[in-house]
Amino acid sequence: MITKLGEKFTDIFRRNMPDAFVFALVLTLVTAVTAFLWIGAPAMKIITSWYDGFWTLLEFGMQMVLLVVTGYSIALSPSIERGIDRLTKYIRTPRQVYYFVVLIGFLLSMVSWGWVVIAAVFARELALRVKGINYPYLIACVYFSSISWVTGLSSSIPLLLNTEKNYMIQNGILPGTIATSFTLGSLLNGCMIALMLIVGPVLMLLLVPKEAKGKELRTLLGARDVGAQETIEEEANSLKLPFKAVSDRLNNSMVLQYIIAFMGVVYIIYHFSQKGLDLNLNIMIFVFVMMGLLLHKTPMRYGISMTRASNNISAIIFQYPFYAGIMGIMTFTGLGAELGKVMASVATEDSYPFFAYLLGGLVNFAIPSGGGEYAVIGPSIIEAVNNIGAGLPAEELKVMASRASLAIAYGEGLTNMLQPFFLLLLMPVMAAGIKIQARDIMGYLVVPFLLFFIAQILMVLWIPL
């Protein structure tokens, strides 16, 4: 029954969901019209807000590109390929692949949300080695596993609340920082992690489509013979001149590359010794780059691996600015803040986590960034919490603010399942060499979304911090 339901939603999405870029264009118009009709923003204000926002994710977009190509480059190294070959001795059936991909994806995303790229690489390599895998469904499994990032070490909202002199404190909305023991270390967050690690993989096993015929990765690759492509080492050797040359010695120098990698390792050790477990995007990409240098051994081999890893990143480059434009409309016209005020007007001491969760999920369609979304709606929601809890002890207000903030984060994370923004992060790895679109994947996520939606709402309402 549940499998048939999943297949029905998949069919609906394939028939009706447009390309991810068209989705971004439609969402732009919906956000603009909402700002015009609901809050009365002038048309020119909407357009200028769209333009101003267009450039706000350029740094983030470049980080995403580097995250994808450096992570994929690591996977192309001989050492990683041999490691995955060893794993396939223990992971031999499609059901085992689905289960472990979801479980490993959850664990990696809890370390840092960008590490879902590693899960994507792992899943693709297993799909090449294990027969009978429905590859679009496997991509859905990886994407589903990314929702755990809001419970983990890189969760932007809890980290912001624990930052000295953050904008919530400077604006007088919060009296001081909120320690991560109230958020990431809370019983609620622990139960949310348990839900993901225990229920998530089992749920995706229950939803496995009955048919994989025609949807295996090797079938989708068609005439492309994966094994026929020359190795990176072979390609590097083929580029050498037929006589001894200084340029070839430099291009293929392990000494030169290892010296640079050693410098990088020294900095990584310094970074974590000075700043603790600070896993921001920059240091994560830097770690990936240094790993790539070490694993590929020579500049020529590393360059070839990066070229191969960069073949499918166009969607990130040209679509992210359009999502940034939507974020600009939400931010600069005041539409996002107005949504927060609506919640403030209807929420009560019992219902505010429910409304915070719903608002977090709704606004995520227009601002697919946890930190960016919280900057827009967070102040209004926390002010509403302060008003609802007026007269309560400071410690109880802190608990209420923590619960509301976690609810926003959980709602924001889950609704990624219904929009393809972060799917663009996986597609350069998992869709390399094949023709597959978001509509082939997103339908598999509707049932997990609905079940987790119900479970998470009940949890943010009733489980204590």
Side-chain angles (χ1 to χ4, degrees):
M1 175 63 181
I2 194 169
T3 302
K4 289 182 179 179
L5 186 60
E7 290 174 347
K8 180 64 176 177
F9 280 122
T10 302
D11 184 60
I12 292 172
F13 267 70
R14 290 192 68 191
R15 291 173 181 273
N16 299 290
M17 184 177 182
D19 179 76
F21 181 48
V22 177
F23 187 92
L25 297 182
V26 171
L27 193 56
T28 300
L29 291 178
V30 169
T31 307
V33 170
T34 303
F36 180 77
L37 296 178
W38 185 32
I39 67 171
M44 201 62 210
K45 176 63 176 176
I46 294 171
I47 293 172
T48 56
S49 297
W50 177 61
Y51 175 83
D52 291 340
F54 213 77
W55 315 109
T56 56
L57 290 183
L58 287 182
E59 178 183 1
F60 181 69
M62 186 61 182
Q63 288 171 323
M64 293 301 97
V65 168
L66 287 173
L67 191 67
V68 168
V69 297
T70 55
Y72 199 3
S73 170
I74 290 170
L76 295 174
S77 67
S79 299
I80 298 301
E81 288 190 354
R82 286 194 296 269
I84 294 175
D85 283 337
R86 292 193 189 99
L87 278 175
T88 54
K89 295 178 181 178
Y90 307 99
I91 303 177
R92 297 178 178 178
T93 68
R95 294 183 70 82
Q96 289 175 339
V97 171
Y98 299 132
Y99 182 88
F100 282 105
V101 160
V102 175
L103 180 62
I104 291 169
F106 275 139
L107 292 171
L108 288 171
S109 296
M110 286 176 192
V111 177
S112 178
W113 65 265
W115 281 24
V116 72
V117 173
I118 301 175
V121 168
F122 176 66
R124 181 181 172 92
E125 293 302 313
L126 285 176
L128 289 170
R129 291 163 170 79
V130 179
K131 294 181 180 180
I133 291 176
N134 183 311
Y135 194 61
Y137 183 72
L138 185 64
I139 299 176
C141 286
V142 177
Y143 194 42
F144 175 61
S145 74
S146 68
I147 67 172
S148 67
W149 81 272
V150 297
T151 67
L153 300 176
S154 66
S155 187
S156 51
I157 294 174
L159 295 181
L160 168 76
L161 295 174
N162 194 35
T163 301
E164 297 286 346
K165 298 180 181 179
N166 64 67
Y167 59 81
M168 300 288 276
I169 296 172
Q170 291 178 341
N171 293 330
I173 299 170
L174 288 174
T177 60
I178 297 179
T180 52
S181 59
F182 283 86
T183 51
L184 298 180
S186 66
L187 176 62
L188 170 59
N189 199 57
C191 291
M192 197 65 69
I193 290 172
L195 172 72
M196 293 174 182
L197 294 180
I198 298 171
V199 177
V202 174
L203 174 61
M204 296 310 283
L205 278 184
L206 294 175
L207 291 168
V208 172
K210 293 181 179 179
E211 278 292 328
K213 188 176 181 180
K215 295 183 179 180
E216 294 182 66
L217 178 54
R218 288 190 177 273
T219 303
L220 295 173
L221 286 167
R224 298 170 184 263
D225 187 349
V226 179
Q229 185 180 29
E230 63 181 346
T231 66
I232 290 173
E233 184 176 358
E234 289 170 344
E235 184 176 345
N237 289 333
S238 71
L239 294 172
K240 290 180 180 178
L241 295 170
F243 50 84
K244 290 184 178 181
V246 173
S247 58
D248 281 338
R249 295 191 66 177
L250 290 171
N251 290 343
N252 296 280
S253 170
M254 291 176 61
V255 174
L256 175 62
Q257 184 143 309
Y258 279 8
I259 290 173
I260 300 300
F262 176 75
M263 292 170 57
V265 171
V266 169
Y267 178 78
I268 292 167
I269 295 171
Y270 168 80
H271 172 88
F272 289 115
S273 65
Q274 295 295 312
K275 301 182 180 181
L277 198 60
D278 177 20
L279 277 169
N280 59 64
L281 275 175
N282 289 337
I283 191 62
M284 186 162 54
I285 293 167
F286 190 74
V287 169
F288 280 12
V289 171
M290 294 305 115
M291 287 179 64
L293 291 174
L294 291 169
L295 289 169
H296 286 288
K297 299 181 180 180
T298 72
M300 182 60 74
R301 294 182 200 174
Y302 190 46
I304 293 169
S305 75
M306 291 291 278
T307 299
R308 294 186 182 185
S310 302
N311 284 337
N312 201 25
I313 58 173
S314 59
I316 294 176
I317 293 173
F318 84 91
Q319 290 190 39
Y320 272 34
F322 285 90
Y323 281 102
I326 298 168
M327 180 173 165
I329 296 172
M330 289 287 294
T331 303
F332 302 132
T333 65
L335 177 59
E338 191 64 30
L339 284 169
K341 292 177 183 176
V342 169
M343 190 215 97
S345 68
V346 297
T348 66
E349 188 172 347
D350 294 323
S351 67
Y352 75 88
F354 171 78
F355 287 106
Y357 181 90
L358 286 184
L359 193 57
L362 176 64
V363 175
N364 180 54
F365 284 96
I367 308 177
S369 162
E373 177 181 339
Y374 195 72
V376 174
I377 65 173
S380 297
I381 291 176
I382 301 305
E383 283 186 341
V385 167
N386 290 337
N387 292 333
I388 292 168
L392 293 176
E395 197 72 4
E396 289 189 35
L397 277 176
K398 184 182 291 187
V399 169
M400 291 175 67
S402 300
R403 182 182 295 277
S405 299
L406 284 174
I408 295 170
Y410 299 146
E412 185 269 337
L414 188 64
T415 50
N416 282 334
M417 299 299 96
L418 298 184
Q419 68 117 311
F421 179 78
F422 285 109
L423 185 60
L424 298 176
L425 182 61
L426 303 182
M427 295 302 270
V429 175
M430 301 202 72
I434 63 175
K435 293 181 179 180
I436 195 167
Q437 300 180 47
R439 66 184 181 185
D440 300 312
I441 299 159
M442 303 297 288
Y444 292 117
L445 296 165
V446 176
V447 173
F449 168 82
L450 292 173
L451 295 177
F452 266 59
F453 178 78
I454 294 169
Q456 289 187 339
I457 281 182
L458 293 175
M459 291 171 76
V460 298
L461 281 171
W462 301 112
I463 294 180
L465 291 187

